[in-house]
Amino acid sequence: MSQPHTQLATLLRRAQWMLDEAAYELGGKQPPATDRHALAEALDELAAALREYSDESGELTTAENAHPAIVEAER
C-alpha cells in the first residue's frame, strides 16, 4: 500500500472505531461532549482526506449516475 493509501485507510478505521463507540454509548446514554467533539473533528479530518485523495487519484470518484447508499436506522 502506498503512503496516501495507508494514511486514508488509517483514518477510515479510526472513524469506524469512533462511530462504533459513539453508537454503543448512545444506546445507553448520551456520550460526553468531549467525545462528540472528538468524533466531529475526526470526521472532518476524514472528509478532508477523502476529498484530497479523490482529487489526486480519481480512484474514489463515483460513476456519473451513481448515488451513495443511504441506510435508514432501525426505529
Side-chain angles (χ1 to χ4, degrees):
M1 223 185 272
S2 70
Q3 187 66 15
H5 285 81
T6 303
Q7 291 173 344
L8 185 57
T10 300
L11 289 172
L12 286 164
R13 295 297 290 167
R14 177 178 167 227
Q16 180 182 22
W17 175 79
M18 292 178 81
L19 287 166
D20 286 343
E21 288 291 311
Y24 177 78
E25 289 177 357
L26 281 172
K29 59 178 176 61
Q30 284 288 102
T34 54
D35 290 350
R36 293 192 309 267
H37 292 290
L39 176 56
E41 288 177 19
L43 292 174
D44 286 341
E45 182 181 0
L46 175 58
L50 283 169
R51 285 185 197 97
E52 182 179 322
Y53 184 81
S54 70
D55 288 346
E56 289 176 2
S57 71
E59 291 179 21
L60 293 181
T61 58
T62 58
E64 233 175 78
N65 296 326
H67 299 285
I70 298 174
V71 178
E72 295 284 330
E74 289 184 28
R75 296 178 189 246

